[in-house]
Amino acid sequence: MGIFREWIQNVVLFLLFMSMINQIIPDEKYRKYVRLTMGLILILVLLGPLSRLMKADEKIFQDYIRENIRLSAEDAKNGGRMFYETDYFNESYKKIIYEEIKQYFKGSGMDVRKCEVSVNENVSDENFGEIYEIAVTVVPKASDGPVPEEKIETWRRDLMMQFGINDDALKLEIWT
């Protein structure tokens, strides 16, 4: 029921936004292009719940993460010589991963106490920048009792998917 209610809210808000945009556009010759664009976006809004039901959004997210990691590794290889003399790249890379993990857990009401990232730092290696291991320790911001096991599994799955690591490479410790 919650998905249906959220879907209706999204459609209504988008239709209000569409009518507001149509009123703001001063020139008639641009309206047809705006209507076309808004119509295409409306189709995406209408099909959103179907993609969730068919788990298509998860597959798109996985493909996006996989491509993002591939591009990041490619960029790292291309810029490798520049960072060869210093550890600037490695430290920045680890800091970015830490910040992503921190933001992820912040959205779940958790604080990251420790986050250690082990990556391939060999610039000449074709797997340069590959993440070997992530060790994370988190604590709840509010004491609501023990964290449910299914929530922990969701966190593990999301982190493994986002950083392209397997179960053995993720050490997740939760303090209560």
Side-chain angles (χ1 to χ4, degrees):
M1 191 65 158
I3 293 175
F4 182 70
R5 185 170 187 236
E6 180 184 339
W7 178 62
I8 294 295
Q9 282 178 328
N10 287 342
V11 170
V12 169
L13 287 173
F14 186 76
L15 290 173
L16 288 171
F17 178 72
M18 266 180 65
S19 63
M20 183 182 74
I21 293 297
N22 278 329
Q23 296 299 320
I24 293 174
I25 298 172
D27 201 355
E28 186 64 35
K29 66 182 178 182
Y30 296 117
R31 285 187 188 212
K32 63 182 175 181
Y33 299 112
V34 171
R35 282 190 194 131
L36 173 69
T37 305
M38 293 295 208
L40 293 174
I41 295 172
L42 180 61
I43 290 171
L44 290 175
V45 170
L46 291 172
L47 294 178
L50 290 177
S51 71
R52 272 192 234 143
L53 290 174
M54 297 183 324
K55 304 273 188 210
D57 57 343
E58 189 172 310
K59 181 176 177 357
I60 291 169
F61 179 70
Q62 288 174 346
D63 291 344
Y64 169 77
I65 293 298
R66 195 172 296 118
E67 184 65 14
N68 196 7
I69 289 170
R70 186 189 67 77
L71 290 174
S72 293
E74 215 172 87
D75 289 344
K77 287 177 191 174
N78 293 338
R81 282 190 211 92
M82 181 174 85
F83 299 113
Y84 185 72
E85 297 173 10
T86 67
D87 289 331
Y88 176 76
F89 173 79
N90 293 326
E91 292 308 312
S92 296
Y93 186 46
K94 290 176 185 179
K95 186 174 181 178
I96 289 169
I97 292 170
Y98 168 75
E99 289 298 324
E100 284 185 34
I101 291 172
K102 184 176 163 185
Q103 289 301 316
Y104 175 77
F105 280 108
K106 183 179 181 182
S108 298
M110 304 292 278
D111 280 329
V112 175
R113 291 287 182 226
K114 181 182 87 167
C115 181
E116 295 175 356
V117 180
S118 172
V119 297
N120 182 351
E121 297 180 5
N122 183 356
V123 178
S124 59
D125 189 354
E126 75 175 30
N127 293 323
F128 173 62
E130 179 183 342
I131 300 171
Y132 292 140
E133 184 178 85
I134 298 176
V136 182
T137 302
V138 294
V139 296
K141 289 181 183 176
S143 181
D144 296 332
V147 178
E149 194 63 36
E150 54 272 357
K151 194 168 197 173
I152 295 170
E153 286 305 312
T154 300
W155 292 339
R156 291 186 67 75
R157 187 184 69 241
D158 290 350
L159 291 173
M160 289 185 303
M161 188 185 336
Q162 179 157 356
F163 297 108
I165 58 176
N166 61 29
D167 193 46
D168 297 333
L170 178 61
K171 311 296 185 225
L172 180 59
E173 185 179 2
I174 294 139
W175 292 350
T176 53

